[in-house]
């Protein structure tokens, strides 16, 4: 096992506050045969200075500086430089336990797995939540792997997937990783992990899930780029939808579910932004609860896919209107809530 090189890919954009914690967790791994490839994606803070300093102290660290091109291109640049047999991605504001690579590599080698998936911890303002994938611990191959693939996007509850779509809690064979990363369009900025991770799973022949080990520490950063309002949310989501349709096939049920989910999330984020700006908090919270309380064992047969293009059209129209938040609310109540609640009555 000691001869297997592991490549750790770390994209970074303005992450000076978290660099030391993240990089220290990597260089202190109990498994030493690693290379750490840090891609500075056009940072304008002190990130470049800090990571260059780390590279001078540890020859396992390689630093790539580039203009800001987005996370997809940063990961691609990193993995194309990687020499390891397996790849692990780590976000700069996160960190990993000291035995993460050793424990996951042991499983990967023993099972000759394409992907090893672990549990994780969520850190939010001092609170720690232990999290697992919804699919059970196990070795997924043949019919079991087909079951996993069919439950990627949707697993029993409305807003839950079979496995978390993030790429960071997965040890992945480099050849498979780079093959899938090369086909992910850089224009995808909402859901790039979904595009990459689920494409990797779709092309895998053997996947191992180990929910009981939780060595990845995911930090909630309220002002991160991914949490800021994006006026191009629905445009970027459309690019993601087109990619998933092409990858999985237009008749793949999970895609339709995921489209509906993303549209509701987009509506919720737009409502949140405008209501908070206008000081209307209580109604915003109620709407959030109504969206996230739509739980059921199986909603797939009850989704009216015709509302998907309509939702995007209406939302774009509302963006141009001065009475923006009222149009969003009207749309939610009359188009989404009414239809979906009616569908759920037949299920619940």
């Amino acid at each position: 096992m000691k001869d297997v090189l592991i490549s750790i890919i770390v994209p970074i954009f303005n992450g000076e506050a978290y660099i030391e914690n993240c990089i220290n967790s990597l260089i202190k791994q109990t498994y030493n045969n690693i290379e750490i490839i840090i891609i500075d994606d056009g940072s304008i803070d002190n990130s470049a200075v800090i990571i260059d300093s780390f590279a001078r102290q540890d020859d396992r660290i390689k630093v790539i500086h580039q203009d800001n091109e987005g996370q997809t291109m940063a990961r691609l640049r990193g993995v194309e430089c990687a020499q390891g047999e397996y790849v692990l991605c780590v976000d700069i504001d996160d960190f990993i336990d000291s035995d993460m690579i050793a424990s996951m590599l042991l499983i990967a080698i023993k099972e000759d797995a394409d992907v090893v998936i672990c549990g994780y911890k969520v850190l939010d303002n001092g609170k720690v939540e232990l999290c697992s994938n919804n699919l059970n611990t196990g070795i997924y191959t043949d019919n079991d792997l087909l079951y996993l693939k069919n439950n990627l996007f949707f697993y029993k509850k409305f807003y839950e997937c079979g496995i978390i779509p993030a790429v960071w809690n997965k040890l992945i064979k480099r050849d498979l990783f780079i093959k899938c990363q090369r086909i992910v369009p850089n224009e995808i900025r909402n859901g790039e992990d979904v595009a990459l991770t689920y494409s990797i799973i779709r092309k895998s022949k053997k996947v191992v899930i180990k929910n009981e080990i939780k060595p990845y520490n995911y930090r909630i950063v309220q002002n991160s780029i991914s949490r800021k309002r994006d006026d191009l949310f629905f445009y970027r989501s459309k690019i993601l939808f087109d990619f998933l349709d092409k990858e999985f096939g237009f008749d793949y049920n999970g895609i339709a579910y995921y489209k509906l989910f993303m549209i509701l999330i987009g509506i919720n984020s737009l409502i949140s932004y405008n209501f908070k700006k206008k000081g209307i908090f209580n109604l915003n919270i109620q709407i959030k609860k109504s969206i996230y309380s739509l739980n059921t064992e199986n909603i797939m047969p009850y989704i009216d896919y015709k509302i998907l293009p309509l939702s995007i059209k209406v939302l774009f129209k509302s963006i141009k209107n001065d009475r923006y938040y009222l149009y969003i609310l009207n749309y939610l109540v009359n188009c989404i809530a009414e239809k979906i609640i009616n569908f759920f009555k037949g299920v619940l």
Side-chain angles (χ1 to χ4, degrees):
M1 188 173 96
K2 65 181 180 180
D3 296 328
V4 178
L5 178 65
I6 303 297
S7 299
I8 307 175
I9 310 297
V10 188
I12 176 173
F13 177 74
N14 294 346
E16 62 180 359
Y18 306 102
I19 291 175
E20 290 193 16
N21 192 28
C22 177
I23 303 304
N24 278 328
S25 77
L26 305 182
I27 62 179
K28 294 178 180 178
Q29 287 294 297
T30 57
Y31 186 82
N32 294 318
N33 194 15
I34 62 175
E35 62 174 0
I36 303 167
I37 303 174
I38 307 174
I39 307 92
D40 172 25
D41 190 35
S43 297
I44 57 176
D45 61 2
N46 291 319
S47 295
V49 175
I50 300 172
I51 59 178
D52 285 343
S53 176
F54 268 104
R56 288 192 293 269
Q57 299 172 44
D58 193 323
D59 59 9
R60 296 175 299 172
I61 298 177
K62 304 174 183 177
V63 175
I64 300 171
H65 297 285
Q66 66 178 33
D67 293 335
N68 182 248
E69 298 182 62
Q71 184 155 257
T72 295
M73 291 303 296
R75 281 180 180 160
L76 179 59
R77 184 89 180 272
V79 76
E80 286 182 336
C81 295
Q83 301 296 314
E85 184 175 340
Y86 284 89
V87 171
L88 175 71
C89 288
V90 178
D91 288 350
I92 196 62
D93 45 8
D94 301 335
F95 61 96
I96 64 177
D97 292 352
S98 61
D99 62 346
M100 178 171 183
I101 292 178
S103 58
M104 295 187 74
L105 180 59
L106 184 64
I107 297 167
I109 292 176
K110 179 182 177 182
E111 301 297 341
D112 189 25
D114 294 311
V115 183
V116 178
I117 305 171
C118 64
Y120 57 100
K121 298 185 283 286
V122 175
L123 284 63
D124 187 4
N125 291 326
K127 298 178 181 179
V128 179
E129 180 183 2
L130 301 179
C131 300
S132 299
N133 301 279
N134 286 314
L135 287 168
N136 294 330
T137 284
I139 300 170
Y140 290 79
T141 187
D142 299 326
N143 288 336
D144 290 333
L145 183 58
L146 180 61
Y147 175 79
L148 184 155
K149 293 177 180 180
N150 287 336
N151 286 276
L152 284 176
F153 293 89
F154 174 78
Y155 188 75
K156 293 186 178 180
K157 292 185 177 181
F158 174 64
Y159 54 91
E160 293 188 2
C161 305
I163 61 171
I164 180 174
V167 72
W168 39 249
N169 68 328
K170 299 165 182 69
L171 188 67
I172 304 163
K173 283 187 175 178
R174 176 188 174 274
D175 291 346
L176 178 60
F177 188 106
I178 195 170
K179 178 180 180 181
C180 294
Q181 185 67 83
R182 282 173 172 164
I183 64 173
V184 176
N186 190 45
E187 293 79 10
I188 297 178
R189 299 297 173 89
N190 297 113
E192 59 265 48
D193 274 24
V194 174
L196 174 60
T197 299
Y198 288 169
S199 293
I200 288 171
I201 298 298
R202 190 180 74 85
K203 293 178 173 63
S204 297
K205 295 181 180 178
K206 192 172 190 180
V207 176
V208 177
I209 298 177
K210 284 287 184 179
N211 285 316
E212 58 270 26
I213 61 173
K214 306 180 190 298
Y216 193 93
N217 298 271
Y218 173 71
R219 192 195 309 269
I220 300 292
V221 180
Q222 294 299 333
N223 62 347
S224 68
I225 297 298
S226 63
R227 292 180 178 272
K228 292 181 180 178
R229 175 177 176 266
D230 186 354
D231 287 335
L232 297 177
F233 181 92
F234 290 97
Y235 168 71
R236 298 187 192 280
S237 296
K238 175 64 165 56
I239 298 173
L240 173 63
F241 297 162
D242 289 343
F243 173 79
L244 294 176
D245 282 335
K246 181 179 178 181
E247 273 291 282
F248 285 84
F250 288 91
D251 58 344
Y252 186 87
N253 281 341
I255 303 296
Y257 153 75
Y258 187 73
K259 288 179 180 179
L260 180 61
F261 171 68
M262 286 291 285
I263 287 169
L264 287 174
I265 293 301
I267 292 170
N268 182 65
S269 67
L270 293 173
I271 290 172
S272 298
Y273 177 80
N274 284 276
F275 278 15
K276 286 178 181 177
K277 188 168 64 174
K278 296 178 182 295
I280 308 174
F281 295 101
N282 292 335
L283 187 55
N284 175 46
I285 292 171
Q286 291 174 19
I287 292 172
K288 280 186 176 181
K289 288 182 177 178
S290 69
I291 290 176
Y292 285 101
S293 65
L294 296 176
N295 297 344
T296 181
E297 288 299 308
N298 187 359
I299 68 166
M300 294 311 303
Y302 300 90
I303 295 176
D304 182 358
Y305 303 150
K306 293 178 181 179
I307 70 173
L308 299 175
L310 173 63
S311 65
I312 295 175
K313 179 180 178 181
V314 173
L315 283 167
F316 270 122
K317 181 179 179 181
S318 69
I319 288 173
K320 300 176 182 178
N321 196 292
D322 292 337
R323 303 183 69 185
Y324 179 86
Y325 72 97
L326 289 177
Y327 272 80
I328 294 291
L329 177 59
N330 180 67
Y331 168 75
L332 177 70
V333 173
N334 293 297
C335 184
I336 289 289
E338 180 182 353
K339 287 179 178 291
I340 293 192
I341 288 171
N342 287 338
F343 294 151
F344 274 74
K345 285 180 178 178
V347 182
L348 299 174

